[in-house]
Amino acid sequence: MGRRGHSSRHPGTHQGATEFIDHVLKFKEGMSIDASQEQQLRTLKTQYRKDRITMKANVELAHIDLHELLRNDEVPLSEIETHLKKVHELRANLYMASIKAKREARAVLSPEQQARMDKIHERIKAHGGNRAHAGTYSRGGKGKGNY
C-alpha cells in the first residue's frame, strides 16, 4: 500500500488496535472471552475506528494547508515550520490513539487471557507472521497448536 494507506503489518512494527481486537475476537472461544468482554472489545473497536477517521481527516486537512503555504514563496519559513510540526503532531496523535486503544483492549483481558494472546503472537512471529497457522489454536490447550 502507499504511504497514506500504510498499515501496521510490517514486521517489527506496532500491531494496530483494530487488528489486535480482531485477532482477540477471532480466538474468543479458545481464549474464553465472555460476552461482557466481547462487547467491551467491540465498543472499543468501534470508538477507535470513529476516532481514527476523524484524526486521519485532520491529518489530510493539515497536509492541504501545508501544501497551500508551500505554493506561496512569500510565506515566512516560521509559518511553514509551524504547519509542518502540526502535521507531524497530528500523525503522532493518530499513532498514540492506536497504542492507547490497544492497551485499553488488552486491559479488558484477564492476566491469563493476556498470556494466551502473547503466546499466540509469539507463535505467529516465529512463523514469519504467517497467519495461516493460526487456525490450529486448540481450545482445550492440548495437541497441535497448544498455546
Side-chain angles (χ1 to χ4, degrees):
M1 280 188 161
R3 189 163 180 63
R4 292 184 187 180
H6 174 75
S7 108
S8 61
R9 299 191 193 283
H10 300 288
T13 61
H14 166 75
Q15 178 188 35
T18 302
E19 294 89 352
F20 177 79
I21 294 169
D22 286 343
H23 203 189
V24 170
L25 292 173
K26 179 179 179 179
F27 295 105
K28 68 183 179 182
E29 286 92 23
M31 299 259 311
S32 301
I33 301 293
D34 65 32
S36 173
Q37 287 176 306
E38 181 177 359
Q39 184 56 48
Q40 289 176 59
L41 291 168
R42 290 188 187 283
T43 299
L44 280 169
K45 178 182 171 185
T46 298
Q47 188 58 54
Y48 168 69
R49 289 181 67 208
K50 288 178 179 181
D51 292 346
R52 185 170 177 251
I53 288 168
T54 302
M55 295 175 90
K56 284 179 78 173
N58 288 336
V59 169
E60 290 299 314
L61 292 171
H63 268 287
I64 291 169
D65 292 342
L66 178 61
H67 286 287
E68 285 302 311
L69 290 176
L70 292 172
R71 290 176 196 224
N72 183 349
D73 289 337
E74 303 297 317
V75 174
L77 288 176
S78 61
E79 191 173 340
I80 291 171
E81 181 179 16
T82 298
H83 277 78
L84 185 60
K85 287 179 179 180
K86 178 182 176 183
V87 169
H88 287 283
E89 180 182 350
L90 290 168
R91 282 185 181 169
N93 291 344
L94 181 61
Y95 194 68
M96 282 303 301
S98 177
I99 293 168
K100 182 181 175 197
K102 182 178 175 182
R103 285 193 176 183
E104 289 173 354
R106 200 168 158 74
V108 170
L109 305 177
S110 70
E112 180 185 78
Q113 290 168 325
Q114 289 179 19
R116 285 184 191 171
M117 200 72 235
D118 291 344
K119 286 182 182 179
I120 291 169
H121 284 133
E122 287 172 20
R123 178 138 188 219
I124 289 170
K125 284 181 184 178
H127 286 84
N130 182 351
R131 297 178 185 182
H133 76 283
T136 62
Y137 182 80
S138 172
R139 187 172 182 185
K142 299 176 184 170
K144 186 176 179 183
N146 185 9
Y147 293 91

